[in-house]
Amino acid sequence: MTIDVVILAAGKGTRMRSDLPKVLHPIAGVPMLGRVIDTAKSLGDVAITVVIGHGAELVRERFADSGVQFVEQSEQLGTGHAVAQAIPNFRTGSTVLVLYGDVPLVKATTLQHLLKASSSGPALLSVVMDDPSGYGRIVRDESDKVLAIVEQKDADAETLRITEINSGILAAPADLLTQWLPELSNDNAQGEYYLTDVIARSVSENIDVIGVIADDPDEVAGVNSRAQQAELERALQRELAEALMVSGVTLLDPARIDIRGQLECDSDVSIDINCIFEGRVKLGAGVKIGPNCLLKNCELAAGTVLEANSIVEDAMVGEACTVGPFARLRPGTELANGAKVGNFVETKKAKIGLGSKVNHLSYIGDAEVGEGVNIGAGTITCNYDGVNKSKTVIGDGAFIGSNSALVAPVEIGAGATVGAGSTITREVSADELAVARGKQRNISGWQRPTKKN
Ligand code: UD1
Ligand code: CA
């Protein structure tokens, strides 16, 4: 089936009260329009046209590389007028699928059903709502055949009681829409060209309209306000959490996890509350994530424990490492197996070797640390002279005493020892002891000053 998808995204989104076009607002870290485009692409042989208007330049820019075509609707004269802008892009014999940039959670499986139902005439996606107010109502005859969609503002009292509403999502043969859309009238309460009027037109031409009822209202819910955005965010997060649990992940509270990207977990991963996952995150078997952690584009190999309140970004953590609590692994951090990074430690562009420890209150940046190294509390790599960044290299088995400053570029040889409190400015050779601190003087009989009156 050749499918021409039209995504409506020209509206202003006034109620968002935002400078950002509505369809660029994210749900689970992805702009709403991006979600709709991805879902559309998953349907098979699709060509996608996005109808833009308000904030057109920003939307165009953001999706310049997404392979979709854009058409501009300079005045928002209605949904029928909007779809008509895409007619030049319709391919002969195709089926047109109309989607919305602000209806982000519609599922491919639902759309497949709709497409199947639209082989010879229009098929619309509806849903039954307890409170249908504001929506177009689906009018059916005694034998349940769809007759028309009547907009709220055009409906009489009896029609307003109908609880089956139009989602707006519709599929129809391109040749029918190409003929009907330019013939729509705007003689209605809103003075708009309604896409929904193609339903009555179809019925008048004796072409049956199929109504497909979606079973989950969230799937067809649109976002008009920040509150609705937040509702769909929660709905999707709940779904992602459930999928993780089905795949064997322990979530201490599925209501308190946020996944804004792809989270891939091996067996028996456990995630405590209030963790956020962004971009691509991979967790190996048995990984444990403590509460309040933020992980972005990183990989933690099997058996690693990330303790509470830690942040890991663009980093690779080996097997059986311990990180945190309160650790921050910044971009370019690589921990080899069994490494330990403790509380209030920040690392950046740092390789920490097999089994090495940086347990407390340190900054390790632009550094290469060998195996079995112990870095004492409060050690700082002075990697920045105000202009350039320089590197620190620490050999296998070295011991860096607490509160040392390693002024880069500098190299500490394998097995070397640095005395606590040293400021190291030049190379320490293998197995040497370097002490670079003021000598201790003890003054006996020292009297503390006393207060003068
Ligand atoms: C539309 C449907 C209604 C349905 C409801 C579901 C019509 C006439 N009515 O009503 O039956 O229940 O959606 O939410 O279709 N847009 C454009 N250009 C335009 C007009 C709209 O791009 O000229 C876009 C908007 O940005 C929006 C979407 O189309 O994303 C829907 O438009 P809106 O005016 O909100 O339609 P509703 O009145 O909600
Ligand atoms: Ca409207």
Side-chain angles (χ1 to χ4, degrees):
M1 186 190 265
T2 310
I3 306 162
D4 285 316
V5 175
V6 182
I7 303 176
L8 303 194
K12 185 146 189 236
T14 314
R15 278 184 283 158
M16 294 296 281
R17 294 184 184 274
S18 174
D19 292 333
L20 190 69
K22 178 165 74 175
V23 296
L24 296 188
H25 281 263
I27 299 285
V30 178
M32 292 194 276
L33 178 56
R35 293 198 167 274
V36 180
I37 290 173
D38 288 346
T39 305
K41 281 182 179 168
S42 76
L43 295 172
D45 173 22
V46 295
I48 301 172
T49 302
V50 180
V51 182
I52 50 178
H54 285 283
E57 276 323 299
L58 286 172
V59 178
R60 225 186 247 278
E61 244 170 63
R62 179 65 182 71
F63 290 97
D65 303 325
S66 65
V68 304
Q69 307 179 71
F70 294 98
V71 293
E72 250 176 86
Q73 186 196 24
S74 44
E75 260 189 298
Q76 276 73 64
L77 302 179
T79 49
H81 179 260
V83 176
Q85 306 311 302
I87 290 175
N89 291 349
F90 293 170
R91 294 169 293 174
T92 36
S94 78
T95 300
V96 173
L97 175 64
V98 179
L99 300 175
Y100 299 82
D102 58 0
V103 180
L105 300 189
V106 66
K107 288 204 173 71
T109 45
T110 305
L111 298 177
Q112 303 279 20
H113 284 308
L114 194 68
L115 287 163
K116 259 195 211 124
S118 69
S119 52
S120 51
L124 59 84
L125 186 64
S126 70
V127 68
V128 176
M129 282 192 171
D130 295 337
D131 176 12
S133 53
Y135 294 98
R137 308 296 205 282
I138 310 292
V139 181
R140 295 179 185 256
D141 68 11
E142 319 77 58
S143 60
D144 256 7
K145 261 191 168 170
V146 175
L147 294 181
I149 299 172
V150 178
E151 292 303 294
Q152 161 103 12
K153 287 180 178 151
D154 300 297
D156 57 25
E158 191 191 340
T159 309
L160 288 176
R161 278 196 292 274
I162 297 172
T163 54
E164 185 188 0
I165 62 102
N166 174 31
S167 72
I169 294 170
L170 169 147
D175 54 346
L176 295 181
L177 291 182
T178 303
Q179 188 194 337
W180 295 342
L181 291 176
E183 293 171 15
L184 289 174
S185 123
N186 66 351
D187 182 15
N188 52 51
Q190 301 186 84
E192 288 180 10
Y193 297 94
Y194 291 163
L195 173 64
T196 46
D197 283 352
V198 303
I199 301 305
R201 173 71 188 264
S202 187
V203 172
S204 78
E205 308 250 349
N206 288 315
I207 300 171
D208 279 352
V209 176
I210 312 282
V212 174
I213 303 178
D215 34 39
D216 179 8
D218 288 338
E219 253 201 81
V220 299
V223 170
N224 292 307
S225 64
R226 307 267 184 177
Q228 288 169 337
Q229 180 188 7
E231 261 174 52
L232 292 197
E233 176 76 30
R234 281 308 102 208
L236 181 54
Q237 291 301 344
R238 179 82 211 180
E239 199 181 303
L240 294 171
E242 242 137 59
L244 275 181
M245 292 188 291
V246 166
S247 77
V249 175
T250 297
L251 298 180
L252 279 98
D253 182 355
R256 282 181 289 172
I257 178 170
D258 283 84
I259 301 159
R260 303 172 190 158
Q262 268 101 45
L263 172 57
E264 201 184 304
C265 296
D266 220 322
S267 60
D268 294 302
V269 165
S270 163
I271 301 172
D272 212 324
I273 61 167
N274 294 336
C275 292
I276 299 175
F277 298 86
E278 294 184 1
R280 281 180 179 278
V281 176
K282 233 175 130 176
L283 304 179
V287 164
K288 278 191 162 42
I289 309 291
N292 310 319
C293 291
L294 170 60
L295 295 90
K296 183 173 183 180
N297 297 319
C298 60
E299 193 172 330
L300 276 56
T304 281
V305 178
L306 185 65
E307 306 268 19
N309 301 298
S310 295
I311 299 176
V312 181
E313 179 177 358
D314 290 310
M316 300 278 289
V317 178
E319 291 175 15
C321 292
T322 308
V323 177
F326 294 98
R328 181 172 181 210
L329 307 188
R330 290 173 53 203
T333 297
E334 286 176 36
L335 305 190
N337 296 349
K340 279 189 169 179
V341 171
N343 38 219
F344 306 105
V345 171
E346 173 181 345
T347 62
K348 188 217 73 179
K349 273 198 194 154
K351 286 188 184 164
I352 313 276
L354 202 72
S356 291
K357 296 175 186 166
V358 193
N359 272 339
H360 332 267
L361 301 155
S362 286
Y363 171 62
I364 306 296
D366 299 298
E368 222 167 272
V369 177
E371 302 178 2
V373 171
N374 195 312
I375 295 185
T379 297
I380 304 291
T381 54
C382 308
N383 62 327
Y384 186 52
D385 60 10
V387 185
N388 300 301
K389 300 270 171 74
S390 303
K391 196 166 173 184
T392 301
V393 177
I394 301 176
D396 295 347
F399 181 97
I400 313 296
S402 294
N403 207 34
S404 293
L406 309 175
V407 181
V410 72
E411 204 171 325
I412 314 289
T417 303
V418 171
S422 292
T423 298
I424 300 296
T425 54
R426 59 191 174 81
E427 182 179 344
V428 180
S429 298
D431 301 315
E432 279 183 339
L433 165 68
V435 186
R437 63 188 181 218
K439 260 214 155 87
Q440 180 170 334
R441 284 194 303 155
N442 292 3
I443 297 164
S444 50
W446 167 252
Q447 296 281 325
R448 286 190 198 163
T450 52
K451 199 156 193 147
K452 287 176 193 148
N453 303 7

